[in-house]
Amino acid sequence: MSEKERLLFQENSERRAVRAVYLENQANTRVDERVLEEMLPYFKEQYGNAQSMHSLGAVSKDAIEKARKEVADLIGSRENEIYFTSCASEANNLAVKGVADAYKQKGKHLVVSAIEHFSVLNAARRLGQNGFDVTYLPVDRYGLISPEEVKNALREDTVLVSIQHANPEIGTIQPLEEISRIVREKKIPLHTDATCTAGIIPVDVNSLGVDLLTLSGSQFYGPKGASALYIKKGIKLTPQIDGGIQENGRRAGTENVPAIVGFGKACVLAKSERDDNKRKMLPLRDRLIAALPEKIEHIYVNGHPDKRLPNNVNISVEFVEGEGMFLLLDQKGIYVSSGSACASKALKMSHVLSAINVDPAVGQGSILITLSKYTTSEDIDYLLAEFPPIVKRLRDMSPLYSYFLKTGQRRPAGPGTDYEHEHEHEQNQEEE
Amino acid sequence: MAFYSEKVMDHFQNPRNVGEIKDADGTGEIGNPVCGDMMSFYIKVKDNVIEDVKFKTFGCGAAIAVSSMVSEMAKGKTLDEAMQITNASVAKELGGLPPNKMHCSNLGADALHKAIEDYKRKHGGTT
């Protein structure tokens, strides 16, 4: 590290030390101290491979089986229905590709929603390139999937339906029980990506009526590196990683024992503390949703007013661009994310915002704020104090805003916006 | 490593020459079709020299930094000199831009050139 770099690093650290308000909890959460404590021995002393026959290996094996029970207890399944993976993306890939492959003799049609996470959407898209037919279900302006539309999409050759439990970006919670009744009637496997609900709100595989469910510990104060796929007994699935006998032959690869142990502990804590955490986050979320439009003109809340995750706030700020806002918030030690085109590495507006028909000019100014159990009332005060001047500063240099002030008219930000979702992109071109 | 260079962050946080010129001699505007950025440039010209330049920009951090840098580079230059400013030379002056921002946000020089062309149109190409 050069002297200049060292000074910069020091300056950054000092700046961060002033105040750090982490509000990107849909991306990752801070590991709970009690989770970390539980994990540490499995780095230091109990480092055996869980597949080894000696007694050190047995300790790891036992730890994994304990965690398996803890995960099962959180979602109301049996232990032998829980399969550990490295991340939620892997679990989603295993569910979508694994089930599609195992049932391909029966048919080659899948149904997914247009606002799934990319690990479902792109897995489905790849199957589409390999001879499968994929139906992408539209959503309404709140992001809700209509059970009726699901019903109409089902065919004789449908082998999998994958509908997320809630959307991580706009927080909309789907009527999954209703959807599962319809899908079950046809005896078609139903997968749900519950990555942003498990550990946050009640998730029970029996009451939801799903056959496969993805959950991830890092979303609720567990470590990165361990997630799980619930696979109901009797559901067939082709492994996507071939190798040894781990996870009953359905997912090969040496188990990440410390992460799995931490995941299990996070599930135990979530089961007893989830409702308290929700009671803490909900008023903070509602305060933000009420106060932001009071403090800043021309902003819109994306997502559903009630059927919404207790930690999700997604707003579009008109006349400014999202990346500018999050960079300036970052300077204040406030960490959020943006669904704008300029902030995404692909330079395209979020497929979720375009699916709920957010005007591209407005969607560019989107900010996603997600709370955790660590978020305090002071954090919200700080955000509410710092955010309005940032918006004002960017609006003062926005030609779209000065045009609006002069004429009272809105003008489009640009001739058009590219869409991430090929399906919608095609539709768009047709409309043009 | 931060996403943007120190110089980009400086121009983004402390943009130079933000605003509009009411009685501008030339104005130019450019929009990006993909991500929807928009830049408006205003120039005041005296004796063939850009005496004052202001801009307004809707766009990401890079778009704002680029606009600011262009305004700084153009001020005091003759029209011919200012026409030599390219998007590439602006990016270089900023100490580089992330690869995915090179095309989408780096349109400041184009907007400036449009303002100069507008001036020339209005003034018959001579001063």
Side-chain angles (χ1 to χ4, degrees):
Chain A
M1 206 187 272
S2 73
E3 181 61 14
K4 194 179 156 202
E5 278 171 333
R6 197 189 61 75
L7 285 172
L8 189 69
F9 181 78
Q10 194 182 337
E11 190 189 305
N12 283 342
S13 312
E14 279 164 9
R15 178 165 55 71
R16 288 202 186 96
V18 172
R19 181 141 204 153
V21 177
Y22 184 81
L23 296 170
E24 201 191 13
N25 290 285
Q26 91 292 352
N28 190 61
T29 51
R30 184 173 126 196
V31 172
D32 190 294
E33 284 291 333
R34 294 165 292 176
V35 168
L36 181 64
E37 282 305 312
E38 203 85 358
M39 292 169 67
L40 289 175
Y42 295 91
F43 288 106
K44 292 190 213 165
E45 297 99 19
Q46 312 296 349
Y47 47 80
N49 186 314
Q51 298 304 323
S52 298
M53 302 294 281
H54 48 65
S55 39
L56 196 63
V59 174
S60 292
K61 180 75 185 156
D62 289 349
I64 289 175
E65 294 319 311
K66 177 171 172 264
R68 200 182 307 280
K69 183 165 186 341
E70 290 164 343
V71 175
D73 280 350
L74 180 69
I75 60 168
S77 79
R78 283 179 282 196
E79 293 156 59
N80 60 4
E81 294 173 315
I82 298 295
Y83 294 82
F84 288 116
T85 63
S86 65
C87 59
S89 286
E90 189 199 330
N92 281 341
N93 269 267
L94 178 58
V96 174
K97 293 175 183 166
V99 169
D101 186 76
Y103 289 87
K104 62 177 186 256
Q105 303 303 332
K106 190 198 160 211
K108 287 193 160 190
H109 177 239
L110 313 172
V111 177
V112 302
S113 89
I115 59 168
E116 293 299 312
H117 186 261
F118 283 123
S119 53
V120 169
L121 276 184
N122 287 342
R125 190 180 295 176
R126 190 171 300 281
L127 288 166
Q129 290 162 352
N130 294 323
F132 282 81
D133 199 9
V134 185
T135 300
Y136 297 94
L137 291 175
V139 295
D140 69 11
R141 68 193 180 99
Y142 299 115
L144 281 174
I145 294 152
S146 131
E148 195 59 29
E149 295 242 25
V150 176
K151 192 175 186 177
N152 296 337
L154 300 180
R155 310 192 316 211
E156 281 298 305
D157 61 342
T158 308
V159 291
L160 178 71
V161 176
S162 181
I163 306 276
Q164 62 193 188
H165 190 198
N167 185 276
E169 200 177 315
I170 53 172
T172 304
I173 301 170
Q174 300 299 338
L176 205 54
E177 291 90 342
E178 245 178 285
I179 291 169
S180 76
R181 270 197 294 278
I182 292 162
V183 178
R184 246 184 191 181
E185 218 166 83
K186 304 273 181 190
K187 299 197 164 40
I188 298 165
L190 173 64
H191 166 247
T192 192
D193 176 1
T195 305
C196 61
T197 54
I200 306 289
I201 60 173
V203 170
D204 183 280
V205 293
N206 301 303
S207 57
L208 288 177
V210 294
D211 302 295
L212 302 109
L213 180 144
T214 298
L215 74 159
S216 178
S218 64
Q219 296 285 314
F220 52 95
Y221 322 109
K224 301 172 193 69
S227 293
L229 181 64
Y230 153 78
I231 309 170
K232 191 179 183 177
K233 196 164 181 287
I235 294 289
K236 288 189 289 179
L237 171 146
T238 307
Q240 299 298 301
I241 300 179
D242 292 314
I245 55 155
Q246 294 91 349
E247 298 303 297
N248 211 12
R250 284 180 147 172
R251 197 277 184 182
T254 299
E255 299 91 341
N256 184 348
V257 182
I260 290 171
V261 166
F263 181 17
K265 181 68 179 181
C267 288
V268 173
L269 297 177
K271 205 176 172 187
S272 62
E273 298 172 8
R274 182 185 53 207
D275 296 345
D276 284 341
N277 293 340
K278 185 183 166 181
R279 268 192 292 275
K280 256 168 68 183
M281 293 190 292
L282 209 55
L284 300 179
R285 180 200 78 177
D286 290 342
R287 198 174 136 218
L288 270 181
I289 289 177
L292 283 169
E294 277 171 20
K295 289 183 174 272
I296 306 168
E297 278 187 313
H298 312 296
I299 75 172
Y300 314 95
V301 177
N302 298 311
H304 199 280
D306 324 309
K307 291 165 186 157
R308 183 178 202 102
L309 289 172
N311 59 348
N312 174 288
V313 179
N314 186 315
I315 48 158
S316 293
V317 182
E318 204 175 359
F319 310 117
V320 293
E321 198 278 327
E323 191 199 275
M325 288 189 281
F326 95 59
L327 286 172
L328 292 174
L329 286 168
D330 180 56
Q331 297 296 316
K332 297 285 180 189
I334 301 171
Y335 309 128
V336 298
S337 56
S338 168
S340 87
C342 293
S344 83
K345 293 201 170 88
L347 300 174
K348 293 163 183 172
M349 187 168 99
S350 140
H351 68 292
V352 178
L353 295 182
S354 65
I356 61 170
N357 266 325
V358 170
D359 180 342
V362 176
Q364 294 208 43
S366 290
I367 286 286
L368 170 56
I369 299 163
T370 39
L371 318 178
S372 78
K373 67 175 178 181
Y374 301 114
T375 309
T376 63
S377 184
E378 289 73 32
D379 291 340
I380 302 301
D381 293 340
Y382 184 59
L383 175 72
L384 286 172
E386 297 294 341
F387 195 33
I390 286 173
V391 172
K392 182 179 183 309
R393 182 169 158 186
L394 290 168
R395 277 183 177 165
D396 283 347
M397 60 173 108
S398 163
L400 302 180
Y401 190 53
S402 48
Y403 184 83
F404 174 76
L405 289 182
K406 274 178 219 153
T407 65
Q409 306 284 315
R410 291 174 162 82
R411 54 185 295 191
T417 295
D418 205 352
Y419 290 92
E420 195 111 35
H421 205 287
E422 271 173 20
H423 186 67
E424 280 158 5
H425 187 61
E426 283 155 18
Q427 275 184 347
N428 226 37
Q429 281 173 340
E430 276 166 23
E431 281 163 19
E432 282 164 17
Chain B
M1 184 59 205
F3 186 61
Y4 288 129
S5 74
E6 230 176 297
K7 206 157 184 186
V8 171
M9 282 308 287
D10 175 38
H11 274 268
F12 164 64
Q13 286 181 271
N14 312 295
R16 285 63 146 171
N17 306 307
V18 175
E20 295 173 21
I21 300 174
K22 290 257 176 308
D23 53 344
D25 296 321
T27 60
E29 183 174 278
I30 197 148
N32 179 293
V34 178
C35 67
D37 282 4
M38 182 170 283
M39 298 175 184
S40 303
F41 268 79
Y42 305 83
I43 53 169
K44 269 310 250 190
V45 181
K46 196 180 175 190
D47 300 333
N48 216 34
V49 169
I50 297 179
E51 208 178 31
D52 196 13
V53 50
K54 296 256 185 246
F55 76 90
K56 280 210 167 175
T57 290
F58 168 88
C60 62
I64 289 167
V66 161
S67 310
S68 167
M69 179 53 90
V70 168
S71 73
E72 208 169 54
M73 287 167 80
K75 217 176 202 175
K77 287 222 167 61
T78 67
L79 295 178
D80 286 344
E81 283 167 349
M83 286 304 281
Q84 302 299 314
I85 298 170
T86 63
N87 293 332
S89 66
V90 174
K92 198 173 161 216
E93 204 58 36
L94 279 169
L97 285 169
N100 63 342
K101 298 281 184 183
M102 278 305 275
H103 300 292
C104 85
S105 319
N106 194 11
L107 298 166
D110 295 347
L112 173 72
H113 296 169
K114 277 195 162 184
I116 294 171
E117 281 155 15
D118 179 54
Y119 166 80
K120 285 184 173 168
R121 228 182 352 263
K122 285 174 182 162
H123 296 78
T126 54
T127 48

